[in-house]
Amino acid sequence: MQNVGDSRLINNPALTKETQTRKADHLKICLDEDVQFHSTTNGLEGYRFSHCCLPELDRREVDISTTFLGKQLGAPLLISSMTGGTELARMINYRLAAAAQRYNLAMGVGSQRVAVENPQVASTFAVRSLAPDILLFANLGAVQLNYTYGVDECLRSIDLLEADALILHLNALQECIQPRGDTNFRGLLDKIKNLCNKLPVPVIVKEVGNGISAAIAQKLIDAGVSAIDVAGAGGTSWAKVESERAENAQQRRLGLTFADWGLPTAECITSIRAIAPNIPLIASGGLRNGLEVAKAIALGADLAGLAWPFLQAAVESEDALDALVEVLVAEITTVLFCTGNPTLSALKQSGALQPLR
């Protein structure tokens, strides 16, 4: 792949330090500040399950296991991409990976750009030894394909994790607000297509909280992407996060102006499913409990990604993580039981989820 972009070198100490500082800032802001969407919701509140008072099921027989990209999972849950590159991030990733292994969940790591630039922090991402059996996703920003990155950097990220797939994340709004953001998105679709043809693992494309429309999803599918994570609006607002890091008044105002920008998660799921019934689809963006996970699955998603709840629990303790997973599983199971569906497939086909009038 031809690398097109500015003249910066990957092994640039100043750039590496800036990236590491940004990672630390992001973690602190997400944990300490109110950076959630306020006006825009994930859209799932607009749907309700029809209660089945006589489910004719034994709750113990309800099965919420699933398969995604050929790998069996204990529940339709993805620990969404969050962090790496700092000592706090190492602890968080290690705890998340251990929990994913215990409960057989999928997991993604945060952007590995910092590890590409500085291999000394690679261990903060390398969780495979703690989670030998999980479905594990590497992660890079797609825009970096216009800033010196190519197949080699993607392979390095995949190899570091022994990953089952590579996530390329799209964060156009965040880059507009971020100090010295990378905003050249020209020609990325062709570069993504090239990667899909050359990489040995599936390529997943996700947003970071502003959503993927059906029109863009179709272009990505045509380019050869193996799965899509809608990452819709309604959860953490990265515009808000970057406004907290602003270096001047304009950046701060941009972040606040666009704090609620994006397509709600529910809208992304339904619009993409309408034009692409078979593409493996991950729902993320503002999901906070197992009821919302079940709604996303019933709307057509195959997997549901949560970030902020897992981040909060991972910082607290391993026990808090276990408690979170177990309540999510209980909530999803209860939805299936109380709609009379023994499996996730049955739930999707049941028509039990209806829009509120």
Side-chain angles (χ1 to χ4, degrees):
M1 174 183 289
Q2 181 183 6
N3 290 326
V4 179
D6 61 21
S7 60
R8 299 177 304 173
L9 298 176
I10 289 176
N11 294 317
N12 182 326
L15 185 61
T16 297
K17 181 175 176 55
E18 180 179 348
T19 304
Q20 287 180 279
T21 299
R22 184 168 66 246
K23 292 284 186 184
D25 288 348
H26 285 165
L27 262 182
K28 179 175 174 53
I29 290 167
C30 286
L31 288 168
D32 297 343
E33 306 296 336
D34 178 10
V35 289
Q36 301 300 300
F37 278 80
H38 283 177
S39 298
T40 303
T41 69
N42 62 26
L44 293 169
E45 76 284 354
Y47 296 85
R48 181 175 62 198
F49 283 108
S50 177
H51 175 61
C52 177
C53 63
L54 185 60
E56 292 286 354
L57 290 172
D58 184 337
R59 188 178 186 277
R60 295 169 297 179
E61 297 172 353
V62 172
D63 180 8
I64 66 167
S65 66
T66 191
T67 300
F68 193 81
L69 296 182
K71 203 151 190 174
Q72 187 77 13
L73 302 174
L77 294 172
L78 165 66
I79 300 173
S80 287
S81 304
M82 280 180 271
T83 192
T86 69
E87 283 307 308
L88 176 58
R90 182 202 306 271
M91 180 270 286
I92 291 169
N93 277 338
Y94 284 16
R95 285 182 175 178
L96 291 171
Q101 177 69 20
R102 284 194 294 276
Y103 294 97
N104 192 18
L105 309 181
M107 176 181 171
V109 298
S111 173
Q112 292 169 260
R113 175 184 172 188
V114 66
V116 172
E117 295 168 0
N118 180 12
Q120 291 182 344
V121 303
S123 62
T124 67
F125 294 93
V127 299
R128 182 54 91 183
S129 62
L130 298 169
D133 304 312
I134 68 169
L135 180 61
L136 183 60
F137 300 149
N139 179 18
L140 285 173
V143 73
Q144 296 311 313
L145 300 175
N146 277 345
Y147 292 87
T148 74
Y149 281 40
V151 171
D152 289 346
E153 288 72 31
C154 293
L155 288 172
R156 199 180 311 170
S157 300
I158 294 164
D159 291 344
L160 168 61
L161 257 68
E162 300 176 51
D164 299 294
L166 173 67
I167 290 173
L168 293 175
H169 67 262
L170 302 172
N171 62 336
L173 177 60
Q174 183 186 8
E175 296 288 359
C176 283
I177 300 165
Q178 186 178 110
R180 292 167 295 282
D182 297 324
T183 54
N184 177 17
F185 276 66
R186 184 180 296 280
L188 283 185
L189 189 63
D190 285 342
K191 292 183 172 69
I192 291 171
K193 181 177 182 178
N194 191 33
L195 284 179
C196 292
N197 289 329
K198 292 187 176 179
L199 292 181
V201 298
V203 173
I204 302 168
V205 171
K206 68 164 286 178
E207 237 283 349
V208 300
N210 301 114
I212 295 179
S213 68
I216 297 300
Q218 186 62 66
K219 291 181 179 181
L220 292 168
I221 294 166
D222 293 342
V225 164
S226 296
I228 291 172
D229 183 342
V230 304
T236 299
S237 168
W238 285 93
K240 274 189 177 180
V241 172
E242 295 300 347
S243 75
E244 293 285 341
R245 299 181 62 247
E247 296 177 353
N248 56 56
Q250 183 184 93
Q251 289 170 355
R252 188 170 299 107
R253 174 164 171 169
L254 274 173
L256 295 176
T257 298
F258 290 94
D260 282 276
W261 175 275
L263 303 170
T265 300
E267 180 182 326
C268 294
I269 299 167
T270 55
S271 64
I272 292 173
R273 266 293 168 251
I275 59 99
N278 298 318
I279 187 73
L281 194 61
I282 302 170
S284 67
L287 275 63
R288 295 290 180 256
N289 55 56
L291 174 57
E292 292 189 325
V293 168
K295 286 183 178 182
I297 299 296
L299 285 177
D302 300 298
L303 210 59
L306 291 81
W308 190 78
F310 278 113
L311 176 61
Q312 294 275 353
V315 169
E316 182 178 341
S317 67
E318 292 182 8
D319 287 344
L321 266 177
D322 286 350
L324 173 61
V325 175
E326 287 170 12
V327 75
L328 289 171
V329 166
E331 288 166 344
I332 299 166
T333 301
T334 300
V335 169
L336 266 64
F337 180 67
C338 289
T339 56
N341 291 292
T343 65
L344 296 171
S345 295
L347 179 70
K348 285 186 178 184
Q349 298 168 11
S350 68
L353 187 69
Q354 296 293 325
L356 294 174
R357 304 298 181 187

